[in-house]
Amino acid sequence: MDTSERQPRKQGWRFVLLALVLAVAISGLVRSLWLDVYYIPSESMEPLLEEGDRILVSRVAFNSEPIRRGDVVVFDGRGSFAPLSSGQGPFVDAVSAASQWFGLTGSDTTYVKRVIGVAGDHIQCCDAAGNLTVNGQVLEEPYLYPGDEPSKQKFDVVVPQGRLWLMGDHRSRSADSRGLLGAPGGGMVPVDRVIGQPVRIVWPLDRFAEMPRSAQAETPPKNGQ
Protein backbone atom coordinates (compact mmCIF):
# COMPACT_ATOMS: atom_id res chain seq x y z
CA MET A 1 0.00 0.00 0.00
CA ASP A 2 1.48 3.35 -1.00
CA THR A 3 1.37 6.58 1.00
CA SER A 4 -1.37 8.01 -1.22
CA GLU A 5 -3.78 5.29 0.07
CA ARG A 6 -2.79 5.72 3.71
CA GLN A 7 -3.29 9.50 3.71
CA PRO A 8 -7.10 9.52 3.11
CA ARG A 9 -7.54 6.76 5.71
CA LYS A 10 -5.58 8.76 8.29
CA GLN A 11 -7.62 11.87 7.52
CA GLY A 12 -10.80 9.82 7.90
CA TRP A 13 -9.81 8.71 11.40
CA ARG A 14 -8.98 12.30 12.32
CA PHE A 15 -12.44 13.39 11.16
CA VAL A 16 -14.12 10.65 13.23
CA LEU A 17 -12.07 11.59 16.31
CA LEU A 18 -12.88 15.28 15.88
CA ALA A 19 -16.59 14.52 15.47
CA LEU A 20 -16.51 12.36 18.62
CA VAL A 21 -14.78 15.10 20.63
CA LEU A 22 -17.30 17.69 19.43
CA ALA A 23 -20.23 15.40 20.25
CA VAL A 24 -18.94 14.84 23.79
CA ALA A 25 -18.30 18.58 24.24
CA ILE A 26 -21.79 19.52 23.04
CA SER A 27 -23.37 16.82 25.19
CA GLY A 28 -21.42 18.07 28.22
CA LEU A 29 -22.57 21.63 27.58
CA VAL A 30 -26.22 20.60 27.24
CA ARG A 31 -26.06 18.45 30.37
CA SER A 32 -24.41 21.16 32.44
CA LEU A 33 -26.88 23.88 31.39
CA TRP A 34 -30.22 22.37 30.35
CA LEU A 35 -30.76 18.61 30.59
CA ASP A 36 -29.03 15.77 32.39
CA VAL A 37 -29.51 12.04 32.93
CA TYR A 38 -29.51 10.36 36.35
CA TYR A 39 -29.63 6.76 37.48
CA ILE A 40 -32.07 5.73 40.23
CA PRO A 41 -30.09 3.52 42.65
CA SER A 42 -32.76 2.66 45.24
CA GLU A 43 -36.42 1.96 45.94
CA SER A 44 -37.00 5.20 47.86
CA MET A 45 -39.25 6.81 45.21
CA GLU A 46 -41.39 3.81 44.30
CA PRO A 47 -43.89 3.46 42.75
CA LEU A 48 -43.10 6.59 40.69
CA LEU A 49 -39.46 5.64 40.09
CA GLU A 50 -38.01 2.15 40.24
CA GLU A 51 -34.47 1.07 41.02
CA GLY A 52 -32.50 1.05 37.77
CA ASP A 53 -34.56 3.75 36.03
CA ARG A 54 -32.73 6.47 34.12
CA ILE A 55 -34.42 9.85 34.27
CA LEU A 56 -34.05 12.98 32.18
CA VAL A 57 -33.71 16.02 34.44
CA SER A 58 -34.42 19.61 33.45
CA ARG A 59 -31.93 22.01 35.01
CA VAL A 60 -34.06 25.04 34.06
CA ALA A 61 -37.50 23.84 35.21
CA PHE A 62 -37.47 26.00 38.34
CA ASN A 63 -35.98 29.11 36.72
CA SER A 64 -39.36 30.66 35.95
CA GLU A 65 -41.45 29.14 38.76
CA PRO A 66 -40.60 28.50 42.41
CA ILE A 67 -40.34 24.99 43.83
CA ARG A 68 -43.63 23.99 45.43
CA ARG A 69 -45.02 21.18 47.56
CA GLY A 70 -45.49 17.96 45.65
CA ASP A 71 -42.61 18.62 43.25
CA VAL A 72 -40.07 15.85 42.75
CA VAL A 73 -36.55 17.27 42.75
CA VAL A 74 -33.03 16.05 42.07
CA PHE A 75 -30.54 17.67 44.42
CA ASP A 76 -26.96 17.68 45.62
CA GLY A 77 -27.06 16.24 49.13
CA ARG A 78 -23.55 17.22 50.18
CA GLY A 79 -23.65 19.07 53.48
CA SER A 80 -27.16 17.79 54.28
CA PHE A 81 -28.04 14.24 53.19
CA ALA A 82 -24.42 13.29 52.48
CA PRO A 83 -21.23 14.40 54.26
CA LEU A 84 -18.81 16.65 52.46
CA SER A 85 -16.05 14.43 51.10
CA SER A 86 -12.63 14.94 49.57
CA GLY A 87 -13.12 11.86 47.36
CA GLN A 88 -11.49 8.46 47.09
CA GLY A 89 -8.53 9.40 44.94
CA PRO A 90 -8.19 10.81 41.40
CA PHE A 91 -8.52 7.49 39.54
CA VAL A 92 -11.48 6.11 41.49
CA ASP A 93 -13.24 9.48 41.39
CA ALA A 94 -12.70 9.73 37.62
CA VAL A 95 -14.07 6.23 36.96
CA SER A 96 -17.04 6.89 39.24
CA ALA A 97 -17.76 10.24 37.58
CA ALA A 98 -17.62 8.68 34.10
CA SER A 99 -19.96 5.87 35.14
CA GLN A 100 -22.43 8.36 36.59
CA TRP A 101 -22.15 10.61 33.51
CA PHE A 102 -23.17 7.74 31.24
CA GLY A 103 -26.05 6.83 33.56
CA LEU A 104 -24.59 3.44 34.49
CA THR A 105 -24.48 3.98 38.25
CA GLY A 106 -25.98 6.30 40.81
CA SER A 107 -24.21 9.04 42.72
CA ASP A 108 -23.41 8.88 46.43
CA THR A 109 -24.24 12.56 46.76
CA THR A 110 -27.16 13.10 44.35
CA TYR A 111 -30.69 12.29 45.51
CA VAL A 112 -34.27 12.29 44.22
CA LYS A 113 -37.03 13.10 46.71
CA ARG A 114 -40.40 14.81 46.92
CA VAL A 115 -40.91 18.27 48.41
CA ILE A 116 -43.18 18.00 51.43
CA GLY A 117 -42.50 21.42 52.93
CA VAL A 118 -41.22 24.77 51.68
CA ALA A 119 -40.12 27.87 53.60
CA GLY A 120 -42.53 28.76 56.41
CA ASP A 121 -44.36 25.42 56.46
CA HIS A 122 -45.10 23.75 59.80
CA ILE A 123 -44.99 19.97 59.24
CA GLN A 124 -46.07 17.46 61.85
CA CYS A 125 -46.29 13.71 62.07
CA CYS A 126 -48.70 12.48 62.72
CA ASP A 127 -52.32 13.29 63.58
CA ALA A 128 -54.71 10.86 65.27
CA ALA A 129 -55.45 9.21 61.91
CA GLY A 130 -51.76 8.77 61.13
CA ASN A 131 -51.57 11.49 58.45
CA LEU A 132 -48.93 14.17 57.93
CA THR A 133 -50.19 17.68 58.49
CA VAL A 134 -48.87 20.86 56.93
CA ASN A 135 -49.88 24.11 58.58
CA GLY A 136 -52.54 22.23 60.56
CA GLN A 137 -54.15 20.65 57.48
CA VAL A 138 -53.95 16.98 56.43
CA LEU A 139 -51.61 16.48 53.48
CA GLU A 140 -53.23 14.17 50.93
CA GLU A 141 -50.52 11.91 49.50
CA PRO A 142 -51.77 9.80 46.56
CA TYR A 143 -48.17 9.06 45.55
CA LEU A 144 -47.31 6.96 48.65
CA TYR A 145 -46.13 3.39 48.11
CA PRO A 146 -49.10 1.04 48.63
CA GLY A 147 -49.25 -0.19 52.23
CA ASP A 148 -46.78 2.40 53.55
CA GLU A 149 -47.65 4.72 56.41
CA PRO A 150 -46.96 8.44 55.91
CA SER A 151 -44.20 8.03 58.51
CA LYS A 152 -43.45 5.80 61.48
CA GLN A 153 -41.08 8.42 62.84
CA LYS A 154 -42.68 11.37 64.62
CA PHE A 155 -41.49 14.90 63.96
CA ASP A 156 -42.60 18.49 64.34
CA VAL A 157 -40.64 21.01 62.25
CA VAL A 158 -40.90 24.46 60.74
CA VAL A 159 -39.05 24.93 57.46
CA PRO A 160 -36.77 28.00 57.52
CA GLN A 161 -36.24 30.39 54.64
CA GLY A 162 -34.19 29.01 51.77
CA ARG A 163 -34.75 25.37 52.80
CA LEU A 164 -36.90 22.37 51.87
CA TRP A 165 -38.24 19.36 53.78
CA LEU A 166 -37.89 16.32 51.49
CA MET A 167 -39.18 12.74 51.74
CA GLY A 168 -39.28 9.67 49.54
CA ASP A 169 -42.58 8.18 48.33
CA HIS A 170 -41.60 4.71 49.57
CA ARG A 171 -41.41 5.88 53.17
CA SER A 172 -40.35 2.55 54.67
CA ARG A 173 -37.34 2.42 52.30
CA SER A 174 -36.41 6.10 52.15
CA ALA A 175 -33.57 7.84 53.98
CA ASP A 176 -34.68 11.46 53.93
CA SER A 177 -35.16 14.59 56.04
CA ARG A 178 -36.62 12.55 58.89
CA GLY A 179 -33.32 10.80 59.57
CA LEU A 180 -31.37 14.05 59.88
CA LEU A 181 -33.35 15.87 62.54
CA GLY A 182 -30.39 15.89 64.94
CA ALA A 183 -27.81 16.78 62.28
CA PRO A 184 -26.67 20.29 61.32
CA GLY A 185 -29.49 21.84 59.31
CA GLY A 186 -32.08 19.52 60.87
CA GLY A 187 -32.72 17.59 57.66
CA MET A 188 -33.54 20.73 55.70
CA VAL A 189 -31.98 20.95 52.24
CA PRO A 190 -30.91 24.35 50.85
CA VAL A 191 -32.96 25.40 47.82
CA ASP A 192 -29.77 26.29 45.96
CA ARG A 193 -28.72 22.62 46.15
CA VAL A 194 -31.58 21.62 43.85
CA ILE A 195 -30.21 20.51 40.47
CA GLY A 196 -33.50 20.23 38.63
CA GLN A 197 -36.79 18.46 38.03
CA PRO A 198 -37.20 14.97 36.54
CA VAL A 199 -39.23 15.31 33.33
CA ARG A 200 -39.09 11.86 31.74
CA ILE A 201 -38.12 8.26 32.40
CA VAL A 202 -35.87 7.34 29.47
CA TRP A 203 -34.77 3.81 30.44
CA PRO A 204 -35.79 1.02 30.46
CA LEU A 205 -37.79 1.47 27.29
CA ASP A 206 -40.87 -0.28 28.66
CA ARG A 207 -41.09 2.50 31.26
CA PHE A 208 -40.41 5.37 28.85
CA ALA A 209 -42.87 8.04 29.99
CA GLU A 210 -43.25 11.71 30.79
CA MET A 211 -43.20 12.66 34.46
CA PRO A 212 -45.72 15.27 35.61
CA ARG A 213 -44.37 18.19 37.59
CA SER A 214 -46.22 17.22 40.77
CA ALA A 215 -48.62 14.60 42.09
CA GLN A 216 -51.56 17.02 42.20
CA ALA A 217 -51.74 16.50 45.96
CA GLU A 218 -53.66 18.87 48.14
CA THR A 219 -51.37 21.70 49.25
CA PRO A 220 -52.51 23.30 52.51
CA PRO A 221 -51.97 27.06 52.82
CA LYS A 222 -49.15 28.42 54.93
CA ASN A 223 -49.96 29.86 58.34
CA GLY A 224 -51.66 33.20 58.02
CA GLN A 225 -52.71 32.64 54.41
Side-chain angles (χ1 to χ4, degrees), residues 24-92:
V24 171
I26 292 171
S27 176
L29 181 63
V30 169
R31 292 180 65 170
S32 65
L33 297 177
W34 295 289
L35 293 168
D36 209 344
V37 177
Y38 286 90
Y39 173 89
I40 302 300
S42 74
E43 306 166 304
S44 70
M45 283 300 294
E46 289 179 335
L48 178 66
L49 296 171
E50 296 182 359
E51 184 176 358
D53 283 351
R54 274 73 166 179
I55 55 173
L56 189 66
V57 177
S58 169
R59 288 180 172 268
V60 298
F62 299 121
N63 285 0
S64 58
E65 294 185 46
I67 298 170
R68 60 186 185 225
R69 294 186 213 97
D71 285 343
V72 176
V73 297
V74 175
F75 63 98
D76 181 351
R78 288 175 295 180
S80 56
F81 277 44
L84 294 172
S85 172
S86 59
Q88 304 177 63
F91 178 75
V92 174

Side-chain angles (χ1 to χ4, degrees), residues 106-216:
S107 167
D108 292 334
T109 59
T110 303
Y111 298 80
V112 183
K113 302 292 179 186
R114 190 178 298 276
V115 178
I116 302 300
V118 297
D121 282 341
H122 181 196
I123 310 167
Q124 293 176 293
C125 178
C126 289
D127 66 7
N131 298 309
L132 292 187
T133 63
V134 179
N135 304 323
Q137 301 294 316
V138 171
L139 180 67
E140 300 293 339
E141 299 190 277
Y143 42 75
L144 277 183
Y145 186 80
D148 264 10
E149 300 175 27
S151 179
K152 289 185 176 181
Q153 179 179 349
K154 297 186 181 299
F155 54 86
D156 186 341
V157 298
V158 175
V159 184
Q161 288 296 320
R163 299 271 177 161
L164 302 169
W165 179 268
L166 305 172
M167 298 173 71
D169 292 353
H170 195 167
R171 298 284 159 80
S172 61
R173 295 296 185 93
S174 177
D176 48 43
S177 289
R178 296 170 294 170
L180 298 164
L181 287 170
M188 314 291 182
V189 174
V191 173
D192 59 14
R193 287 288 189 175
V194 172
I195 295 169
Q197 174 206 354
V199 293
R200 182 173 289 275
I201 299 172
V202 296
W203 187 265
L205 293 179
D206 62 352
R207 286 179 48 73
F208 186 85
E210 183 178 358
M211 293 180 59
R213 169 162 176 172
S214 66
Q216 303 300 318

